Structure formats: structure tokens, C-alpha cells
Amino acid sequence: MLTDTTGLFLSLIFGSIGFGYFIYGKRQSHKIALWSGVALMIYPYFVSNHYAMVITGIGLMLVPRFLRLD
């Protein structure tokens, strides 16, 4: 999957966003952002369909916005 250009580009985009979420979650002690970042960095290895990759990535990016642990 990571041999085609689209998959590689999507993996780079979502991995970079995930790294940002990870750093933010670690510095702010925000566990949901931290684990969403880890998931964003890892999931492209397991998803082979480009549309599924985009939908899953957007969903994981929205998780810290709508899920709160108080």
C-alpha cells in the first residue's frame, strides 16, 4: 500500500498531524489527544483503501474535539 504516491502522501500527512497531537497531548497531559496522535501515526500501516484512510484519519482527528474525560 505504501508503494503508491497517494498512500505515501496520505500517510505522511496523517502521521505528521498525529505527531503534533502526540506532542500536544504529552505536554498538556491531555490523554485523548496523546492516544489519538499515536493512532494517527500507526493506522496508515493497516488501512489499504485511500478513502477509508481519509475517513479514518478525519475521524481520529475529531476524537479529541468531541470526547472529553473530566
Side-chain angles (χ1 to χ4, degrees):
M1 196 324 268
L2 295 179
T3 57
D4 64 342
T5 308
T6 306
L8 190 61
F9 184 69
L10 289 173
S11 297
L12 177 71
I13 295 294
F14 287 120
S16 299
I17 293 169
F19 185 68
Y21 273 43
F22 177 78
I23 295 297
Y24 171 78
K26 189 173 179 181
R27 288 188 180 167
Q28 298 295 323
S29 298
H30 193 268
K31 297 214 182 282
I32 296 174
L34 183 128
W35 288 109
S36 291
V38 169
L40 278 165
M41 288 186 285
I42 292 176
Y43 90 94
Y45 291 108
F46 302 108
V47 179
S48 60
N49 186 354
H50 300 305
Y51 295 114
M53 187 180 293
V54 171
I55 290 169
T56 306
I58 291 172
L60 285 172
M61 287 178 3
L62 292 175
V63 166
R65 174 78 176 153
F66 293 110
L67 185 63
R68 302 270 188 224
L69 292 177
D70 293 329

